């Protein structure tokens, strides 16, 4: 009797095991934890509804902007154990790191079969393609060039949101006489973020794109002027910038210690959810100076590494990410907008609706700080250039150093 | 005889695994890192393509680190490390000795005090860093507690630096320092009436000085002046580091003080030495070997320091960056593995400069004993 029981047990166990392996598995790798975790969970839930037999493994490595996750990912990719699909900032961060290393699969056929080539904005596709292939599916879109303020405070100080950098510098003088920090600034990457807004504002969208395609040199007088303007803008910021996170810098605006803050549109989520301010009346926004009509974008995207163990499941995951339903499930929770132009705007917040309108009509360019236009090796070292400039304020040296960096990173090749 | 050889065999057998592991995971990896630093792995965008061959480029990475515009942060980190090491060691030794002298006078509840002072050492640098970061933030604990103006007391966020010098002057400064040391050696040799040594030392010193005055000013590593100095933001990190490690020096010194026999002090007093004289001529000289050991341990900690700085000001804050942090960022974020390896090798050499002479003297001492 005992023996039969044991045999039965073994057989059932074996059956269970085999059925589990037949159902398949999907491992997704990201750095979405904390605030962004629920959005990812909603997506996973949707995936499970469609493919109930697949076992989804959520391999999240926490840590700001993915620094830790990227190090873990490198170990796994180089060690021959790639996750089935992983998160990367859309554009050069993925292309300059993994596509040139010949480790990603071309997703052109997926884009064609799903009809996505017409569903994403025209300016977007070149930014996620290279060498004739399309390399990742953008899940969301964030805008980097937004200036935030509290309308009531501006009224009190008698200023309005400046439209150009020249206007900003005048406003800066007025605010300084009232003992208000004109522009709240945070740690190193937010300074890089500010530089990108200054650069796009000074060079224009076309000039910015020429910079990354190699047509415009970093040593060109026009680009040196960006550094000059950046220096003047820095004079309008708080001195303790390096000790503040972007949230703390935004807090200064909310508290009325500072007038403006230039940050990506994740700040909208922070201001409305955490700070309980009403979009439009409690807090206001405008494109950062001299960039109206231009949308500096960054996107999170997922790609398909070569040698993924569960390729079929990963492909169905990517299909879900690019679908209208997938994007409209994820983005309202994440506080971003859909990369597709046909999303259901009623699901989004007031801010996101206005951003989505701009996404369809504006000129779209890529963000430097968030990996769209330059490979990691450039972005990482560029932070050091910014730091050196903050200390020395030498525009010529900054320009020359950046050009060296661009040559080394192979920009425009 | 037979017994001895089985013993030998056993000892070798027992030691073998760790010897093999050490050979592979320490020395093998050091060699591998050294070789990597001589290649161009990561100097182009194909860093992560393992099918690409990495070319041998000799010492170019090192040359870049010390002379190219792009690597200003590395040079700043070296200067930071120098200042940090000096102040960290001085602070720990001074505070540790002070605490030990106080405890040596047998105060009430001595054991409790000892535990309190030694306690920070039981924390990891990450914990220490996080606590002190909270306390030293512009609007944070220390400024609030003492009512200090956050705009003036920028513990971790200051961007100013003092004692600045131009990196192009490094050969000049080095030559002058070495010349002064040689001159001191010469003076001592003169006093000892050692003629050859006097002549050699003075000749070398003169040669170096002449070189420093005639050739060095015309040497230029970098086309523009590059100023480095002691960054004020390091004061906050120094406070945390000294807070953490001065308990350790206190314990060392206390052990040393307790090891000095009372007879020696009494003998000094009988000879007419006052309290200060006893310390000056009897106690402190006997503590000298302890100071040396403490300096070695603290010195290599400060050269390799990573976690404390990471926790307090983050990896991207250049004014408070150190080489270990830069090595991590360069290799694992910018994918410049060869340059990262080169920074690692420079760090290894720095640590070796401190540790090897000490080990050598220890071994010599053991042999003599």
């Amino acid at each position: 009797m005992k023996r039969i029981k044991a045999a039965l047990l073994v057989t059932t166990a074996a059956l269970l095991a085999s059925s589990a392996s037949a159902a398949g598995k999907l491992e997704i790798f990201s750095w979405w934890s904390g605030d962004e975790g629920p959005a990812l969970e909603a997506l996973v839930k949707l995936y499970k509804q469609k493919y109930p037999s697949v076992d989804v493994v959520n391999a999240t490595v926490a840590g700001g902007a993915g620094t830790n996750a990227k190090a873990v990912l490198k170990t796994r990719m180089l060690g021959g154990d790639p996750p089935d699909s992983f998160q990367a900032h859309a554009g050069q961060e993925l292309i300059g790191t993994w596509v040139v290393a010949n480790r990603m699969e071309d997703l052109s056929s997926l884009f064609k079969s799903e009809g996505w080539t017409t569903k994403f904005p025209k300016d977007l596709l070149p930014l996620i393609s290279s060498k004739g292939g399309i390399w990742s599916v953008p899940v969301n879109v964030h805008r980097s060039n937004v200036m935030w303020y509290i309308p009531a405070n501006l009224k009190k100080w008698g200023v309005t949101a400046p439209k150009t950098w020249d206007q900003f510098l005048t406003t800066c003088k007025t605010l300084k006489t009232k003992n208000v920090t004109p522009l709240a600034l945070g740690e190193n990457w937010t300074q890089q973020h500010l530089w990108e807004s200054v650069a796009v504002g000074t060079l224009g969208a076309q000039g910015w794109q020429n910079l990354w395609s190699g047509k415009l040199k970093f040593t060109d007088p026009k680009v040196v002027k960006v550094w000059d303007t950046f220096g003047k803008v820095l004079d309008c910021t708080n001195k303790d910038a390096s000790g503040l996170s972007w949230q703390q810098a935004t807090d200064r605006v909310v508290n009325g210690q500072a007038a403006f803050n230039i940050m990506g549109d994740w700040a909208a989520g922070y201001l409305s959810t955490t700070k309980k301010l009403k979009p439009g009346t409690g807090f206001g926004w405008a494109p950062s100076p001299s960039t109206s009509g231009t949308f500096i974008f960054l996107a999170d995207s997922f790609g398909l590494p070569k040698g993924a163990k569960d390729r079929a499941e990963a492909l169905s995951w990517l299909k879900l990410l690019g679908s209208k339903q997938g994007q409209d499930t994820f983005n309202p929770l994440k506080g971003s907008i859909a990369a597709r132009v046909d999303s259901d705007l009623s699901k989004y917040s007031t801010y996101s609706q206005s951003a989505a309108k701009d996404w369809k009509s504006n000129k779209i360019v890529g963000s430097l700080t968030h990996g769209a236009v330059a490979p990691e090796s450039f972005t990482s070292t560029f932070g050091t250039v910014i730091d050196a400039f903050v200390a020395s304020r030498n525009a010529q040296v900054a320009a020359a150093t950046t050009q060296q960096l661009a040559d080394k990173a192979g920009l425009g090749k | 005889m037979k017994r001895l050889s089985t013993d030998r065999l056993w000892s070798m057998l027992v030691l073998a695994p760790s010897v093999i592991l050490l050979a592979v995971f320490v020395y093998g990896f050091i060699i591998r890192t050294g070789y990597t630093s001589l290649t161009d792995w990561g100097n182009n965008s194909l860093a992560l393509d393992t099918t690409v061959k990495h070319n041998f480029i000799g010492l170019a990475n090192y040359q870049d680190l010390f002379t190219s515009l792009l690597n200003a942060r590395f040079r700043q980190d070296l200067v930071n490390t120098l200042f940090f090491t000096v102040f960290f060691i001085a602070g720990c030794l001074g505070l540790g000795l002070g605490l030990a002298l106080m405890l040596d006078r047998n105060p009430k509840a001595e054991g409790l005090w000892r535990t309190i002072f030694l306690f920070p050492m039981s924390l990891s640098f990450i914990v220490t860093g996080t606590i002190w970061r909270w306390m030293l933030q512009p609007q944070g604990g220390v400024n609030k507690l003492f009512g200090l103006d956050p705009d003036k007391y920028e513990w971790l966020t200051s961007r100013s630096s003092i004692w600045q010098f131009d990196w192009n002057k490094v050969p000049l400064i080095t030559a002058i320092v070495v010349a002064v040391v040689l001159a001191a050696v010469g003076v001592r040799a003169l006093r000892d009436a050692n003629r050859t040594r006097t002549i050699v030392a003075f000749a070398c010193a003169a040669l170096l000085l002449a070189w420093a005055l005639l050739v060095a000013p015309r040497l230029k590593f970098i086309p523009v002046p590059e100023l480095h100095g002691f960054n004020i933001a390091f004061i906050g990190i120094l406070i945390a580091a000294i807070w953490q490690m001065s308990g350790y020096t206190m314990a060392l010194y206390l052990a040393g003080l307790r090891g000095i026999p009372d007879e020696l002090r009494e003998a000094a007093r009988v000879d007419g030495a006052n309290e200060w004289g006893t310390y000056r001529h009897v106690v402190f000289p006997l503590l000298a070997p302890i100071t040396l050991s403490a300096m070695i341990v603290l010195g290599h900690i400060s050269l390799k320091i990573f976690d404390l700085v990471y926790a307090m000001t983050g990896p991207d804050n250049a004014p408070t960056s150190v080489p270990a942090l830069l090595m991590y960022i360069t290799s694992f974020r910018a994918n410049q593995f060869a340059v990262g390896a080169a920074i690692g090798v420079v760090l290894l050499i720095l640590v070796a400069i401190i540790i090897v002479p000490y080990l050598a003297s220890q071994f010599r001492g053991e042999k003599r004993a």
Side-chain angles (χ1 to χ4, degrees):
Chain A
M1 193 63 200
K2 236 185 197 170
R3 205 173 272 173
I4 298 172
K5 241 188 192 168
L8 265 177
L9 212 73
V10 169
T11 333
T12 7
L15 274 175
L16 275 176
S18 67
S19 74
S21 69
K25 209 184 87 183
L26 169 72
E27 189 190 17
I28 34 179
F29 185 93
S30 77
W31 60 81
W32 282 329
S33 56
D35 289 350
E36 297 153 325
L40 179 65
E41 270 164 35
L43 258 186
V44 170
K45 213 168 132 195
L46 190 65
Y47 184 85
K48 276 189 175 156
Q49 274 169 20
K50 295 201 164 173
Y51 311 95
S53 57
V54 177
D55 184 20
V56 179
V57 182
N58 181 1
T60 298
V61 177
T67 311
N68 301 338
K70 284 175 198 166
V72 174
L73 180 68
K74 257 162 231 173
T75 329
R76 290 192 54 176
M77 293 283 274
L78 292 181
D81 176 32
D84 295 325
S85 185
F86 66 85
Q87 174 194 9
H89 283 130
Q92 286 298 322
E93 185 178 301
L94 180 79
I95 294 170
T97 310
W98 295 114
V99 174
V100 291
N102 200 18
R103 282 173 182 276
M104 302 303 292
E105 280 197 41
D106 181 8
L107 299 173
S108 303
S109 55
L110 183 71
F111 271 71
K112 216 167 279 162
S113 67
E114 295 290 305
W116 287 343
T117 39
T118 54
K119 293 289 188 282
F120 293 109
K122 247 205 276 63
D123 290 352
L124 175 64
L125 288 175
L127 289 166
I128 54 172
S129 327
S130 82
K131 294 198 273 179
I134 303 177
W135 302 101
S136 61
V137 180
V139 195
N140 63 357
V141 163
H142 276 295
R143 184 178 195 169
S144 115
N145 58 326
V146 193
M147 189 162 73
W148 307 92
Y149 54 86
I150 305 292
N153 285 344
L154 292 197
K155 210 178 218 173
K156 198 169 70 193
W157 298 318
V159 294
T160 52
K163 293 231 160 33
T164 65
W165 282 114
D166 287 335
Q167 274 182 28
F168 172 81
L169 293 175
T170 331
T171 314
C172 166
K173 270 186 206 138
T174 323
L175 287 168
K176 271 188 177 166
T177 58
K178 298 187 183 197
N179 251 341
V180 177
T181 311
L183 185 70
L185 190 65
E187 59 193 312
N188 184 282
W189 73 264
T190 69
Q191 297 163 18
Q192 204 172 335
H193 191 111
L194 175 65
W195 185 87
E196 139 184 330
S197 263
V198 174
V200 174
T202 319
L203 297 171
Q206 194 54 49
W208 176 254
Q209 275 164 343
N210 289 345
L211 204 53
W212 305 108
S213 61
K215 279 185 212 146
L216 184 64
K217 290 264 176 228
F218 282 90
T219 41
D220 190 283
K222 275 189 252 165
V223 190
V224 177
K225 208 182 141 230
V226 172
W227 288 101
D228 286 330
T229 313
F230 182 60
K232 284 181 202 151
V233 173
L234 278 181
D235 289 334
C236 301
T237 61
N238 45 309
K239 270 166 65 194
D240 57 351
S242 63
L244 302 184
S245 65
W246 72 265
Q247 288 99 331
Q248 286 170 318
T250 311
D251 285 346
R252 296 257 170 113
V253 177
V254 176
N255 301 341
Q257 286 172 279
F260 302 104
N261 176 224
I262 289 177
M263 190 30 62
D265 54 11
W266 42 93
Y270 179 70
L271 287 167
S272 54
T273 314
T274 314
K275 293 280 151 186
K276 308 261 183 280
L277 294 171
K278 247 197 146 134
T281 50
F283 68 92
W285 63 88
S288 61
S290 302
T291 65
S292 87
T294 307
F295 192 113
I296 307 181
F297 103 105
L298 60 124
D300 291 301
S301 68
F302 279 82
L304 183 61
K306 278 187 179 166
K309 278 178 226 80
D310 311 285
R311 194 171 172 277
E313 284 79 8
L315 272 173
S316 55
W317 164 253
L318 292 176
K319 267 182 205 163
L320 176 75
L321 291 182
S323 71
K324 192 176 160 193
Q325 192 193 7
Q327 302 224 328
D328 281 343
T329 305
F330 178 80
N331 287 307
L333 289 170
K334 166 92 159 70
S336 45
I337 58 171
R340 291 170 69 107
V341 289
D342 59 350
S343 68
D344 178 6
L345 286 182
S346 64
K347 291 185 176 168
Y348 291 81
S349 70
T350 325
Y351 167 76
S352 297
Q353 286 175 8
S354 92
K357 221 173 75 199
D358 291 345
W359 174 242
K360 279 177 216 163
S361 57
N362 280 2
K363 177 88 190 143
I364 295 173
V365 297
S367 153
L368 160 68
T369 318
H370 305 282
V373 289
E376 273 182 322
S377 59
F378 184 95
T379 318
S380 177
T381 316
F382 186 67
T384 314
V385 180
I386 296 259
D387 255 322
F389 177 78
V390 170
S392 74
R393 296 298 172 89
N394 191 331
Q396 295 290 344
V397 172
T401 318
T402 322
Q403 186 55 45
Q404 276 190 15
L405 184 57
D407 291 340
K408 207 169 178 188
L411 276 184
K413 269 179 205 158
Chain B
M1 200 63 208
K2 206 182 165 199
R3 180 70 197 274
L4 194 73
S5 74
T6 31
D7 262 4
R8 272 256 163 99
L9 209 68
W10 268 113
S11 65
M12 269 145 111
L13 214 64
V14 170
L15 276 177
S18 55
V19 168
I20 293 169
L21 289 177
L22 267 180
V24 174
F25 289 102
V26 176
Y27 298 101
F29 281 12
I30 288 177
I31 292 167
R32 183 68 208 261
T33 306
Y35 176 73
T36 303
S37 74
L38 303 176
T39 68
D40 65 350
W41 186 15
N43 287 3
N44 48 31
S45 53
L46 296 171
L48 297 170
D49 191 342
T50 39
T51 57
V52 171
K53 283 258 328 148
H54 309 305
N55 305 312
F56 183 83
I57 52 167
L59 294 171
N61 285 325
Y62 293 92
Q63 196 190 338
D64 265 11
L65 280 179
F66 285 97
T67 61
S68 97
L69 265 185
L70 217 49
N71 288 307
R73 177 162 165 185
F74 170 74
R75 299 184 288 269
Q76 190 198 324
D77 288 2
L78 280 186
V79 176
N80 283 348
T81 301
L82 180 79
F83 281 116
F84 182 81
T85 306
V86 168
F87 288 114
F88 175 61
I89 291 180
C92 284
L93 291 181
L95 197 62
L97 182 61
L99 290 174
L101 288 177
M102 266 158 34
L103 287 188
D104 192 40
R105 322 217 100 201
N106 302 319
K108 250 189 206 160
E110 189 204 319
L112 180 69
W113 290 117
R114 217 167 36 205
T115 316
I116 289 175
F117 293 139
L118 205 52
F119 176 70
M121 218 182 89
S122 69
L123 301 174
S124 76
F125 267 130
I126 281 286
V127 177
T128 310
T130 311
I131 297 171
W132 279 96
R133 184 197 173 122
W134 289 337
M135 305 230 277
L136 295 178
Q137 260 174 4
Q139 324 275 344
V142 173
N143 283 353
K144 277 239 168 79
L145 199 65
F146 298 106
L148 303 174
D149 179 7
D151 281 339
K152 272 197 206 126
Y153 289 86
E154 309 165 296
W155 297 101
L156 298 172
T157 55
S158 166
R159 293 200 158 263
S160 29
S161 65
I162 46 173
W163 303 321
Q164 285 192 332
F165 63 92
D166 183 358
W167 180 259
N168 286 313
K169 297 223 171 74
V170 164
L172 180 87
I173 296 168
T174 322
I176 290 177
V177 169
V178 175
V180 167
V181 170
L182 280 175
V185 170
V187 169
R188 198 182 256 183
L190 193 67
R191 219 183 279 151
D192 293 351
N194 187 334
R195 244 186 91 201
T196 4
R197 197 188 281 173
T198 318
I199 293 169
V200 170
F202 276 123
C204 288
L207 206 67
L208 265 174
L209 264 181
W211 181 83
L213 294 175
L214 297 175
V215 185
R218 262 175 283 153
L219 267 183
K220 263 215 162 110
F221 291 140
I222 322 159
V224 289
E226 189 182 281
L227 294 179
H228 296 299
F230 174 65
N231 291 308
I232 305 295
F234 257 111
I235 292 176
I237 297 178
L238 273 167
I239 291 174
I242 292 171
W243 178 80
Q244 165 118 3
M245 292 309 292
S246 56
Y248 165 75
T249 42
M250 178 205 73
L252 284 184
Y253 276 129
L254 200 56
L257 286 170
R258 293 283 150 86
I260 296 171
D262 276 338
E263 292 83 30
L264 273 180
R265 296 190 197 204
E266 273 162 27
R269 268 182 222 123
V270 170
D271 285 347
N274 57 10
E275 193 75 344
W276 169 243
T278 321
Y279 278 113
R280 167 93 175 69
H281 297 289
V282 178
V283 176
F284 289 159
L286 284 169
L287 291 179
I290 291 177
T291 309
L292 183 69
S293 309
M295 276 171 79
I296 301 293
V297 171
L298 295 174
H300 90 268
I301 288 179
S302 85
L303 287 176
K304 297 189 302 190
I305 198 146
F306 173 91
D307 31 12
L308 183 71
V309 183
Y310 192 105
M312 288 189 79
T313 52
D316 289 313
N317 192 34
T320 57
S321 174
V322 286
L325 211 52
L326 185 65
M327 176 179 73
Y328 172 71
I329 291 175
T330 315
S331 320
F332 299 112
R333 204 163 68 188
N335 300 330
Q336 298 177 354
F337 296 103
V339 180
I343 299 173
V345 171
V346 171
L347 259 183
L348 180 74
I349 292 171
L350 285 179
V351 174
I353 286 174
I354 287 202
I355 299 285
V356 168
Y358 176 72
L359 287 182
S361 78
Q362 288 280 319
F363 278 132
R364 221 177 292 145
E366 256 171 45
K367 255 189 204 152
R368 238 180 261 147

